[in-house]
């Protein structure tokens, strides 16, 4: 049993990770500013420190006594970061450097952090692997890439092991559908459940690699287990399977037993056309792959959201 810090642990992914660590018998400390996360997401056994990830004192307090840090805190919305450039930068990049520095000072505590598939930019229709030269198109992607660059030099300069993960589009229970900045599946699922139309930005033929949250948790835990060997490296979190938004709507609507009403709006600024990951490197080095199909993950999401009322 060990103690782990999860930054952003009251959020969507962090709360699922907390459940998995607690189930394994670990102790969990969470640092969260509750800007989008909710205490109700989190198991009561986890200890919550309310504070900001860009505040060095709060991070130092939270990290004390921890064997590892899962740094997940950040602003997840590409569109929000387009509109709030500096705020996104402070949280997504300064916040990451703040965590790295605190971890180095606390005794070189290993850090697993979430970067993003957004670092690739518009990579075209094929699957991208980690050797692809990153070309982010938005402030969000730039800050994630900046975080990775800090993570890559952390070992050489500070002896700090970090492992970066590039999630593609994560979905699942507890992803909050209530904001226009939420992940597309949570929004579409909530609207279809209410019999409301869904709005597609653009023609709906943009593609995404949707990965279920339980799979993401397994990638995070595998990365921590491999932190000594994989220090300074980055890995995709993806399924290697592609889906258009229109196909996603069809599958979701079928599961809801509804005929979808689809409206179209303008494409979002900086929106990526095709986003598909190559899962081979994570499989080879971390020994982990995504196991949940989109159909099964969406069915699980529906069951959970129907049970929650
Ligand atoms: C997502 C993640 C980001 C992650 C990145 C990896 C969210 C909110 N964003 O960005 O954290 O790092 O993948 O590449 O989880 N769309 C609609 N209608 C809507 C909402 C969205 O058509 O109501 C479209 C968007 O224009 C976009 C696609 O759906 O083409 C996905 O959008 P979104 O879920 O916001 O995610 P990304 O921008 O891909």
């Amino acid at each position: 049993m060990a103690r782990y810090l999860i930054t952003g642990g009251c959020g969507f992914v962090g709360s699922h990770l907390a459940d998995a660590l607690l189930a394994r018998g670990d102790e969990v400390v969470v640092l969260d500013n509750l800007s989008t996360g909710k205490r109700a997401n989190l198991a009561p056994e986890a200890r919550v420190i309310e504070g900001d990830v860009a505040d060095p004192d709060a991070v130092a307090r939270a990290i004390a006594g921890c064997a590892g840090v899962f740094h997940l805190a950040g602003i997840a919305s590409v569109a929000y970061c387009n509109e709030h450039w500096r705020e996104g930068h402070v949280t997504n990049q300064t916040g990451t450097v703040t965590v790295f520095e605190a971890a180095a000072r606390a005794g070189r505590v290993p850090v697993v952090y979430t970067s993003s598939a957004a670092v690739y930019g518009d990579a075209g229709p094929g699957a991208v692997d980690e050797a692809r030269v990153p070309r982010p198109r938005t402030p969000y992607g730039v800050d994630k890439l900046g975080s990775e660059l800090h993570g890559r030099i952390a070992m050489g300069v500070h002896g700090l092991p970090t492992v970066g993960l590039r999630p593609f589009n994560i979905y699942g229970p507890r992803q909050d559908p209530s904001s226009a900045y939420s992940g597309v599946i949570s929004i579409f699922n909530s609207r279809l459940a209410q019999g409301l139309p869904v709005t597609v930005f653009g023609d709906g033929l943009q593609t995404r690699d949707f990965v279920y949250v339980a799979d993401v948790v397994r990638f995070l835990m595998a990365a921590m287990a491999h932190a000594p060997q994989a220090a300074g490296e980055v890995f995709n979190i993806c399924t290697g399977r592609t889906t258009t938004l229109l196909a996603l709507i069809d599958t979701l609507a079928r599961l809801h037993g509804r005929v979808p009403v689809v409206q179209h709006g303008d494409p979002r600024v900086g929106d990526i056309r095709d986003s598909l990951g190559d899962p081979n490197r994570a499989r080879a080095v971390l020994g982990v792959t995504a196991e949940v199909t989109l159909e099964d993950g969406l069915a699980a999401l529906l069951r959970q959201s129907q049970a929650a009322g």
Side-chain angles (χ1 to χ4, degrees), residues 71-148:
H71 172 46
L72 310 182
I75 299 174
S77 167
V78 178
Y80 184 93
C81 292
N82 282 346
E83 290 155 29
H84 303 82
W85 194 356
R86 184 177 180 285
E87 183 190 343
H89 177 68
V90 170
T91 300
N92 287 350
Q93 188 164 330
T94 307
T96 303
V97 173
T98 306
V99 169
F100 288 164
E101 187 170 67
R105 288 183 177 162
R108 299 170 175 172
V109 178
V111 181
V112 169
Y113 65 97
T114 42
S115 171
S116 167
V119 300
Y120 293 117
D122 233 331
V128 282
D129 66 20
E130 296 81 350
R132 181 73 63 98
V133 176
R135 294 190 201 286
R137 284 164 59 90
T138 53
Y140 174 86
V142 168
D143 288 329
K144 290 293 190 178
L145 181 58
S147 298
E148 285 187 6

Side-chain angles (χ1 to χ4, degrees), residues 76-78 116-118 140 167-169 175 181-184 187-188 199-201 206 208 245 268 271-272 275:
S77 167
V78 178
S116 167
Y140 174 86
F168 283 65
N169 289 63
Q175 191 173 30
Y181 297 112
S182 300
V184 67
I187 295 173
F188 286 178
T199 302
V200 168
F201 301 130
Q206 61 265 55
R208 292 294 186 270
L245 274 199
R268 279 179 170 166
D271 197 42
I272 287 169
S275 181

